[in-house]
mmCIF file of all heavy atoms in Angstrom:
data_model
loop_
_atom_site.group_PDB
_atom_site.id
_atom_site.type_symbol
_atom_site.label_atom_id
_atom_site.label_comp_id
_atom_site.label_asym_id
_atom_site.label_seq_id
_atom_site.Cartn_x
_atom_site.Cartn_y
_atom_site.Cartn_z
ATOM 1 N N MET I 630 7.638 8.456 0.303
ATOM 2 C CA MET I 630 7.608 9.770 0.944
ATOM 3 C C MET I 630 7.212 9.645 2.414
ATOM 4 O O MET I 630 7.506 10.534 3.211
ATOM 5 C CB MET I 630 6.650 10.708 0.210
ATOM 6 C CG MET I 630 5.184 10.450 0.446
ATOM 7 S SD MET I 630 4.161 11.748 -0.285
ATOM 8 C CE MET I 630 2.565 11.307 0.394
ATOM 9 N N GLN I 631 6.539 8.549 2.773
ATOM 10 C CA GLN I 631 6.195 8.309 4.176
ATOM 11 C C GLN I 631 7.321 7.575 4.902
ATOM 12 O O GLN I 631 7.697 7.941 6.013
ATOM 13 C CB GLN I 631 4.890 7.517 4.254
ATOM 14 C CG GLN I 631 3.688 8.300 3.750
ATOM 15 C CD GLN I 631 2.485 7.436 3.452
ATOM 16 O OE1 GLN I 631 2.610 6.255 3.153
ATOM 17 N NE2 GLN I 631 1.303 8.030 3.518
ATOM 18 N N ILE I 632 7.848 6.537 4.273
ATOM 19 C CA ILE I 632 8.926 5.758 4.896
ATOM 20 C C ILE I 632 10.149 6.622 5.150
ATOM 21 O O ILE I 632 10.804 6.526 6.198
ATOM 22 C CB ILE I 632 9.309 4.563 4.007
ATOM 23 C CG1 ILE I 632 8.157 3.556 3.946
ATOM 24 C CG2 ILE I 632 10.568 3.875 4.542
ATOM 25 C CD1 ILE I 632 8.428 2.383 3.039
ATOM 26 N N ASP I 633 10.482 7.483 4.189
ATOM 27 C CA ASP I 633 11.719 8.261 4.264
ATOM 28 C C ASP I 633 11.611 9.495 5.153
ATOM 29 O O ASP I 633 12.570 10.263 5.253
ATOM 30 C CB ASP I 633 12.158 8.675 2.858
ATOM 31 C CG ASP I 633 12.563 7.477 2.006
ATOM 32 O OD1 ASP I 633 12.911 6.439 2.593
ATOM 33 O OD2 ASP I 633 12.525 7.574 0.770
ATOM 34 N N ARG I 634 10.480 9.689 5.780
ATOM 35 C CA ARG I 634 10.327 10.782 6.741
ATOM 36 C C ARG I 634 10.173 10.180 8.130
ATOM 37 O O ARG I 634 9.072 9.765 8.523
ATOM 38 C CB ARG I 634 9.115 11.649 6.365
ATOM 39 C CG ARG I 634 9.346 12.423 5.076
ATOM 40 C CD ARG I 634 8.142 13.219 4.642
ATOM 41 N NE ARG I 634 8.459 14.029 3.457
ATOM 42 C CZ ARG I 634 7.576 14.713 2.749
ATOM 43 N NH1 ARG I 634 6.293 14.689 3.124
ATOM 44 N NH2 ARG I 634 7.938 15.421 1.705
ATOM 45 N N PRO I 635 11.261 10.105 8.883
ATOM 46 C CA PRO I 635 11.249 9.396 10.171
ATOM 47 C C PRO I 635 10.167 9.857 11.128
ATOM 48 O O PRO I 635 9.627 9.058 11.899
ATOM 49 C CB PRO I 635 12.643 9.684 10.732
ATOM 50 C CG PRO I 635 13.494 9.978 9.545
ATOM 51 C CD PRO I 635 12.585 10.665 8.572
ATOM 52 N N GLU I 636 9.822 11.149 11.060
ATOM 53 C CA GLU I 636 8.842 11.666 12.013
ATOM 54 C C GLU I 636 7.462 11.038 11.839
ATOM 55 O O GLU I 636 6.611 11.145 12.735
ATOM 56 C CB GLU I 636 8.732 13.187 11.880
ATOM 57 C CG GLU I 636 8.136 13.695 10.581
ATOM 58 C CD GLU I 636 9.151 13.860 9.462
ATOM 59 O OE1 GLU I 636 10.282 13.342 9.600
ATOM 60 O OE2 GLU I 636 8.818 14.501 8.445
ATOM 61 N N ARG I 637 7.229 10.341 10.714
ATOM 62 C CA ARG I 637 5.937 9.691 10.492
ATOM 63 C C ARG I 637 5.840 8.354 11.235
ATOM 64 O O ARG I 637 4.747 7.795 11.372
ATOM 65 C CB ARG I 637 5.702 9.460 9.000
ATOM 66 C CG ARG I 637 5.686 10.740 8.160
ATOM 67 C CD ARG I 637 4.570 11.680 8.539
ATOM 68 N NE ARG I 637 3.268 11.078 8.350
ATOM 69 C CZ ARG I 637 2.601 11.068 7.200
ATOM 70 N NH1 ARG I 637 3.123 11.642 6.118
ATOM 71 N NH2 ARG I 637 1.411 10.528 7.121
ATOM 72 N N GLY I 638 6.976 7.819 11.670
ATOM 73 C CA GLY I 638 6.954 6.614 12.481
ATOM 74 C C GLY I 638 6.732 5.317 11.733
ATOM 75 O O GLY I 638 6.412 4.287 12.331
ATOM 76 N N PHE I 639 6.913 5.316 10.401
ATOM 77 C CA PHE I 639 6.721 4.095 9.623
ATOM 78 C C PHE I 639 7.961 3.202 9.614
ATOM 79 O O PHE I 639 7.856 2.002 9.375
ATOM 80 C CB PHE I 639 6.380 4.442 8.165
ATOM 81 C CG PHE I 639 4.989 4.963 7.970
ATOM 82 C CD1 PHE I 639 4.749 6.323 7.888
ATOM 83 C CD2 PHE I 639 3.915 4.093 7.859
ATOM 84 C CE1 PHE I 639 3.461 6.812 7.693
ATOM 85 C CE2 PHE I 639 2.625 4.576 7.670
ATOM 86 C CZ PHE I 639 2.400 5.933 7.592
ATOM 87 N N SER I 640 9.118 3.779 9.828
ATOM 88 C CA SER I 640 10.375 3.060 9.653
ATOM 89 C C SER I 640 10.908 2.500 10.962
ATOM 90 O O SER I 640 10.857 3.153 11.998
ATOM 91 C CB SER I 640 11.418 3.983 9.023
ATOM 92 O OG SER I 640 12.657 3.325 8.921
ATOM 93 N N TYR I 641 11.431 1.293 10.875
ATOM 94 C CA TYR I 641 12.065 0.655 12.034
ATOM 95 C C TYR I 641 13.557 0.960 12.084
ATOM 96 O O TYR I 641 14.260 0.506 12.991
ATOM 97 C CB TYR I 641 11.853 -0.860 12.009
ATOM 98 C CG TYR I 641 12.017 -1.487 10.638
ATOM 99 C CD1 TYR I 641 13.272 -1.687 10.062
ATOM 100 C CD2 TYR I 641 10.904 -1.863 9.906
ATOM 101 C CE1 TYR I 641 13.407 -2.240 8.819
ATOM 102 C CE2 TYR I 641 11.030 -2.422 8.648
ATOM 103 C CZ TYR I 641 12.280 -2.620 8.108
ATOM 104 O OH TYR I 641 12.411 -3.168 6.859
#
Side-chain angles (χ1 to χ4, degrees):
M630 75 172 189
Q631 294 164 334
I632 293 177
D633 294 337
R634 292 177 175 172
E636 67 274 14
R637 300 297 299 275
F639 286 98
S640 177
Y641 42 76

